[in-house]
């Protein structure tokens, strides 16, 4: 069950008498990353009853008899060993040091025993590999970091790996995706045990959202297991990635692999952790995402270059996987990218540079701190500087014309130019100071040469 589900499956086994629901054991191994390891320690190991969060009792256990070294060469000392797992109602494996190494046999035996006695077993990020090695994920849905999901699916084919989910709750066995998704799962456990109010109070203390929407789809890359090079399907997968701009389907891939569709589906799922159709759609969406970020192709052109049969198909899959339309994604990406970066390109529809016209941008170069005259406020100095720029371009005099005459070309009530230059419209006045009744902080932009005038009324 994913993070979006509203019901929680019942625990399959009754908790044995010596175990307590409120006791959480965290199983640490040497080489585990410190961030993932610290998540359950922070969630379950700090007394926050003053904030309305029920208290858990935390047991930090060493999963092996070696120094527990973690990120940056830090060495940890766990106060308990594997024997303490016998008292826990929940056992959390926050991480495992290597997806290619088998976990210690003693730790696997302790996890199996805890599960048999009704304990809830939780694997965060690569901790799912420890649960899978113990056989606790056989025949179950599970997730892990999207980078490692294909390897988990290939190494443990009986596990139903879903790389799209932030976490999966299968009742007495729970797994999460990478890093911050561990916080999501721990909050989900608190919500399951004590309700939404307790989880919300804890989320506020941690300064994180109580429930994140979506999954890992927006982070998925061309993730494939490390062992793909030796698999017969490697050539088919490589061909698919190189020809995403062409319209082909799963039957085409199965034919290239000289397999029936059913056999190809089974082999492909064991290799990548997902169904071939879903994998293909994900790769097309990823390609569209890259083109929206790095090119000026229209959405229709992007759809064609990513193998979608129509722009409508692209928009539907893009929104389902990334939570926004292609156009909105491009606009948001370009709004937050660094200015003058290598990806800077003019938007479609923008006026191109005109070589036959002089560049006017330097004439209006912004002056952050204009020099102030004695007794002059900073606002007045900014207005004076702006008008000096207008005078430099137009040669217009800054002296006010007659109150009811002269050629202003911008008359009428509320004329902004009249407020600055002192001409045009009722209420205009001759100085550069603020108009009577207007706060001094109001800044009015002068009309630049060539700007079209708006009709009044």
């Amino acid at each position: 069950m994913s993070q979006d589900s509203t019901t929680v499956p019942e625990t399959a086994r009754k908790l044995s008498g010596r175990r307590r629901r409120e006791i959480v054991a965290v199983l640490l191994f040497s080489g585990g990353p410190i961030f993932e390891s610290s998540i359950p320690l922070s969630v379950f190991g700090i007394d926050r009853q003053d904030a309305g969060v029920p208290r858990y009792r935390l047991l930090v256990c060493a999963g092996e008899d070696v120094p527990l070294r973690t990120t940056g060469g830090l060495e940890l000392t766990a106060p308990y060993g594997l024997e303490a797992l016998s008292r826990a109602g929940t056992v959390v494996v926050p991480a495992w040091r290597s997806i290619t190494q088998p976990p210690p046999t003693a730790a696997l035996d302790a996890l199996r025993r805890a599960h048999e006695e009704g304990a809830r077993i939780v694997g965060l990020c690569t901790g799912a590999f420890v649960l899978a090695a113990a056989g606790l994920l056989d025949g179950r849905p599970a997730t892990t970091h999207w980078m490692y999901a294909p390897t988990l699916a290939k190494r443990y084919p009986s596990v139903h790996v879903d790389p799209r989910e932030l976490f999966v709750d299968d009742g007495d066995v729970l797994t999460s995706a990478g890093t911050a998704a561990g916080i999501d799962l721990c909050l989900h456990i608190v919500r399951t045990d004590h309700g939404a109010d307790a989880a919300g109070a804890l989320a506020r203390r941690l300064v994180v959202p109580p429930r994140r929407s979506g999954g890992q789809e927006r982070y998925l890359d061309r993730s494939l297991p490390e062992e793909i090079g030796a698999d017969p399907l490697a050539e088919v997968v490589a061909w698919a990635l190189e020809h995403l701009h062409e319209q082909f389907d799963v039957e085409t891939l199965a034919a290239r692999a000289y397999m029936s569709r059913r056999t190809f589906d089974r082999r492909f799922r064991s290799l990548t952790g997902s169904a071939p159709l879903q994998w293909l759609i994900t790769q097309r969406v990823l390609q569209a995402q890259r083109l929206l970020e790095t090119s000026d192709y229209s959405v229709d052109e992007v759809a064609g270059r990513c193998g979608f049969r129509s722009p409508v198909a692209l928009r539907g899959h893009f929104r389902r996987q990334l939570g926004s339309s292609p156009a909105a994604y491009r606009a948001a990406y370009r709004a937050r990218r660094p200015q003058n970066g290598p990806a800077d390109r003019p938007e479609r529809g923008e006026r191109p540079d005109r070589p036959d016209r002089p560049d006017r941008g330097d004439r209006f170069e912004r002056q952050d701190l204009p020099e102030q005259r004695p007794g002059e406020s900073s606002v007045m100095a900014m207005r004076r500087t702006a008008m000096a720029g207008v005078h430099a371009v137009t040669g217009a005099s800054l002296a006010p014309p007659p109150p009811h005459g002269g050629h202003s070309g911008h008359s009428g009530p509320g004329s902004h130019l009249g407020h600055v230059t002192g001409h045009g419209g009722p209420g205009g006045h001759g100085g550069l100071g603020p108009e009577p009744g207007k706060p001094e902080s109001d800044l009015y932009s002068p009309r630049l040469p060539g700007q079209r005038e708006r009709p009044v009324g």
Side-chain angles (χ1 to χ4, degrees), residues 363-364 383-399 417 420-421 432 446-449:
R363 303 184 185 182
F364 299 96
R383 288 178 175 164
R384 176 173 49 77
T385 304
M387 290 309 303
V390 174
H391 176 68
V393 175
T394 64
S397 171
L398 299 182
L417 186 59
V420 178
T421 61
L432 290 177
R447 181 168 63 89
L448 304 182

Side-chain angles (χ1 to χ4, degrees), residues 401-423:
H404 299 291
H407 177 68
S408 70
H410 195 72
S411 61
S415 169
H416 286 183
L417 186 59
H419 297 164
V420 178
T421 61
H423 64 277

